[in-house]
Amino acid sequence: MSIAKSGQVPTAITATDSNATPIERPIPSGAHAPAFGSDVVAETLRALDIPYISLNPGASYRGLHDSLVNFLGNEQPQILLCLHEESAVAIAHGYAKVTGRAMAAAVHSNVGLFHATMAIFNAWCDRMPILVLGATGPVDAMKRRPWIDWIHTAADQGAIVRNYTKWDDQPASVGAARESVLRAFWIANNSPQGPVYINLDAELQESRLATPLPPIDARRFLPHVIAGPPDDLVRKASALLGAAKRPLILAGRGSRDLGAWNRRVQLAERLEAHVVTDLKVGAAFPTDHPLHIGPPAIFAPPELLAALRDADVILSLDWVDLGGAFKAMGSSPTATVIQVSLEHHLHNGWSMDYQGMPAIDLFIAANPDETVEALLVALGEDPIAPKRTSVGSRPVPARPSPDDVMTVADMASVLRHVVGDRDVCLAHVPLSWHGDFWEFRHPLDYIGSDGGGGVGGGPGISVGAALALKGSGRLPIGVCGDGDFMMGCTAIWTAVHYRIPLLIVVANNRSFFNDEVHQERVAVARNRPVENKWIGQRISDPDIEMAQIARAQGADGFGPANNASELEEALKEAIRVVENGGVAVVDARILPALR
Ligand SMILES: Cc1ncc(C[n+]2csc(CCOP(=O)(O)OP(=O)(O)O)c2C)c(N)n1
Ligand SMILES: [Mg+2]
């Protein structure tokens, strides 16, 4: 009896070793040479060494889907089924945050792309590479099925995401589709990185190849782009920094590369420069280093403003909002400002994510990591006369009392205590997270925020990061607000299904609390009752059982943990689950309060 007739669905998912991602293995199709347009697209993805394609299916790309399964055998790239396009893209985003490299995500025609938009925007603002594949058509109206093919065909579908992708294309032939995939991957991965979108005509995918395409060597279409700084600018910058008495380094966007991290430390020590880091982006400098100032923060903290006022030379290594930091000071700094960034290549007239314009005295259009390397060479080995005292480390947050209700700080403190000296990757933190909660000592200790401020990205980004970290020995932890978790929680199913170990801690204040703070501000400004700020914000009555949301998707759910001792117990068990390869969600009930 055929599978279709029996109504049985094969669900076997197999893995060759415990670190491999289990795979839904298709029965062999016998297809060995590309025979259809979409086979060529699929084999190009493989030639680019793209390991995964996260997707939610749709008829617009049924040709490509078939090629992934029956031509490639669902390997390299392997399909990761997602329950929502937003999590398909968020997973690719999280993967890129750890690896620095694009994987693919596929979304159905216009409607799937609509669902994916916020996650694409998040990745765009975060400057993270993703190869988003979509589909439309048939573009030739004579080939369309009645109704459905018409509502799911749009002229210039790329326009939906053009303003927040690096590049998009709708290739008109199979040869052009192959070139498009190569170009897209190359563009996405070159700095400044970002998401790209290719829209594949359904007819092109399903068309039978009349003649095979001439073979190509994909690697030759990915030329290395030198993004290093020009020598004369490095000389000028090193002279300014070498002569500075109170240099300050704003360590902004940097790679997850440990060598680059160590060189940043070397540069700061060589210059005795104070260093500030940013919670919006991944860890860029050890936060417990004697030269690190203040906690990393989302919004410019007082320590940053004081350091900016104090400095005589400021080196910004692609600081996300330099103009905003200067504005928060009240005026441009008196210091000489060196900005190292390639950001301007991405700026367009639609999104204002380019931020305010900073005053700059020396601009180096180059990759910050490569510039640090060049500055170290230019500064040479000679010791620079000691200029400053070190700042010293900050106190470790106190442990909360076991039976009291918890603040977000209490929750973080318990988490930190239970984690102990394990290697951890904080894959996501909520807006209420304070930089004081956690020290970062390695580039993978923290991979930054969602980029675009799009709530709902936390779970998917955490799953993508966990996917990339699988087998590394590092424990991935996504701390999500309850609002964030509920918007993106179906990403959990993908983690469970593909055996991606992950701990999610839900900072469950039963509120879209960040916006309560806004309502409070408005009430105060208008002299209206602050007591009403909770209305239209609280996610209670009924309170959502996050553990049940997890269990319903096959994860282990713990909690609700209402105090520190309950949380400690829940976290211990949850970490045990994750260390045994599982997915665990802990519902930490906290007060709707800032600290
Ligand atoms: C997609 C989206 N919708 C709404 C908002 C506005 N917003 C910003 S923070 C926030 C609250 C998020 O709630 P939660 O994740 O529970 O975090 P909390 O503020 O409670 O710590 C909201 C609704 C947003 N940034 N993105
Ligand atoms: Mg909340």
Side-chain angles (χ1 to χ4, degrees), residues 204-235:
L204 179 152
Q205 295 172 59
E206 295 186 27
S207 64
R208 192 174 273 282
L209 284 184
T211 45
L213 257 58
I216 51 167
D217 180 353
R219 284 165 305 179
R220 296 192 66 199
F221 293 87
L222 305 172
H224 177 62
V225 179
I226 304 241
D231 288 347
D232 56 334
L233 296 186
V234 171
R235 269 197 302 276

Side-chain angles (χ1 to χ4, degrees), residues 118 430-432 452-456 480-485 487 507 509-515 537 539 590:
M118 190 202 76
L431 264 184
S432 54
V455 172
C480 302
D482 49 328
D484 182 41
F485 181 73
M487 283 194 202
N509 51 18
R510 284 151 287 167
S511 174
F512 288 107
F513 180 69
N514 180 70
D515 285 85
Q537 308 280 0
I539 315 172
I590 59 170

Side-chain angles (χ1 to χ4, degrees), residues 70-349:
N70 288 315
F71 177 54
L72 295 188
N74 196 21
E75 269 185 288
Q76 197 73 13
Q78 177 191 347
I79 289 175
L80 301 178
L81 178 60
C82 300
L83 305 189
H84 195 294
E85 288 82 358
E86 198 173 282
S87 61
V89 174
I91 285 171
H93 181 181
Y95 179 88
K97 279 164 96 66
V98 171
T99 61
R101 200 165 181 272
M103 60 173 255
V107 298
H108 176 44
S109 69
N110 49 358
V111 282
L113 188 60
F114 288 142
H115 261 183
T117 49
M118 190 202 76
I120 295 174
F121 180 71
N122 271 348
W124 163 262
C125 293
D126 204 21
R127 309 300 184 233
M128 286 297 155
I130 303 175
L131 174 57
V132 183
L133 297 175
T136 193
V139 169
D140 179 352
M142 297 299 101
K143 308 264 170 57
R144 276 178 219 151
R145 294 175 294 158
W147 182 61
I148 189 73
D149 276 351
W150 291 77
I151 54 176
H152 287 171
T153 301
D156 194 12
Q157 195 164 278
I160 297 170
V161 292
R162 186 162 303 134
N163 289 316
Y164 43 98
T165 45
K166 261 187 101 177
W167 183 75
D168 73 280
D169 193 23
Q170 184 173 321
S173 69
V174 177
R178 179 168 72 176
E179 184 164 320
S180 185
V181 173
L182 294 170
R183 191 192 303 273
F185 192 70
W186 182 69
I187 289 176
N189 283 313
N190 273 310
S191 53
Q193 297 181 313
V196 292
Y197 174 68
I198 300 177
N199 187 19
L200 298 164
D201 177 6
E203 191 201 351
L204 179 152
Q205 295 172 59
E206 295 186 27
S207 64
R208 192 174 273 282
L209 284 184
T211 45
L213 257 58
I216 51 167
D217 180 353
R219 284 165 305 179
R220 296 192 66 199
F221 293 87
L222 305 172
H224 177 62
V225 179
I226 304 241
D231 288 347
D232 56 334
L233 296 186
V234 171
R235 269 197 302 276
K236 280 186 191 161
S238 68
L240 285 168
L241 287 162
K245 294 198 170 52
R246 295 177 313 282
L248 173 68
I249 298 175
L250 305 180
R253 291 187 172 103
S255 71
R256 298 305 91 213
D257 180 66
L258 187 58
W261 170 279
N262 288 335
R263 283 188 287 276
R264 261 175 248 132
V265 175
Q266 236 181 306
L267 181 68
E269 289 176 352
R270 177 82 178 75
L271 296 169
E272 288 193 66
H274 286 168
V275 181
V276 183
T277 56
D278 182 353
L279 215 49
K280 293 192 285 300
V281 294
F285 196 85
T287 52
D288 58 353
H289 190 285
L291 290 169
H292 188 276
I293 290 193
I298 298 272
F299 298 103
E303 292 90 342
L304 167 61
L305 302 183
L308 289 171
R309 286 195 192 98
D310 173 65
D312 58 353
V313 176
I314 295 168
L315 173 66
S316 158
L317 299 173
D318 211 1
W319 189 255
V320 172
D321 183 11
L322 194 57
F326 293 169
K327 192 174 178 187
M329 285 169 70
S331 63
S332 295
T334 50
T336 303
V337 180
I338 305 167
Q339 166 73 313
V340 184
S341 178
L342 287 167
E343 267 285 298
H344 53 288
H345 290 302
L346 289 186
H347 299 168
N348 65 41

Side-chain angles (χ1 to χ4, degrees), residues 521-558:
R521 275 188 206 123
V522 175
V524 168
R526 295 179 177 182
N527 200 21
R528 291 174 177 175
V530 166
E531 293 79 359
N532 293 334
K533 65 176 184 175
W534 62 276
I535 295 174
Q537 308 280 0
R538 290 286 164 98
I539 315 172
S540 60
D541 191 17
D543 289 359
I544 297 172
E545 296 287 336
M546 302 299 171
Q548 289 191 35
I549 302 274
R551 281 185 216 119
Q553 302 179 80
D556 281 62
F558 298 92

